[in-house]
């Protein structure tokens, strides 16, 4: 079950990046969106560690 969840999460991240990064480039702020993506992933990892 964990592999299925990991696969779905990977697909969701790919689709998000594939759609959102080109849109962010149009507005000239694509670096901020990448930083926020990394920050969000770090927060999720820390919450998983603390709540497990």
């Amino acid at each position: 079950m964990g592999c299925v969840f990991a696969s779905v999460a990977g697909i969701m991240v790919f689709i998000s990046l594939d759609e959102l990064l080109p849109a962010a480039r149009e507005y000239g702020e694509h670096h901020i969106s990448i930083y926020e993506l990394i920050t969000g992933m770090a927060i999720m990892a820390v919450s998983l560690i603390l709540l497990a």
Side-chain angles (χ1 to χ4, degrees), residues 18-35:
D18 190 45
E19 293 293 325
L20 294 177
L21 282 181
R25 281 196 183 121
E26 289 178 13
Y27 294 105
E29 299 294 333
H30 62 280
H31 288 101
I32 294 174
S33 62
I34 293 172
Y35 296 146

Side-chain angles (χ1 to χ4, degrees), residues 31-49:
H31 288 101
I32 294 174
S33 62
I34 293 172
Y35 296 146
E36 294 301 322
L37 174 75
I38 293 170
T39 303
M41 288 182 177
I43 289 171
M44 289 301 292
V46 169
S47 70
L48 288 172
I49 291 170

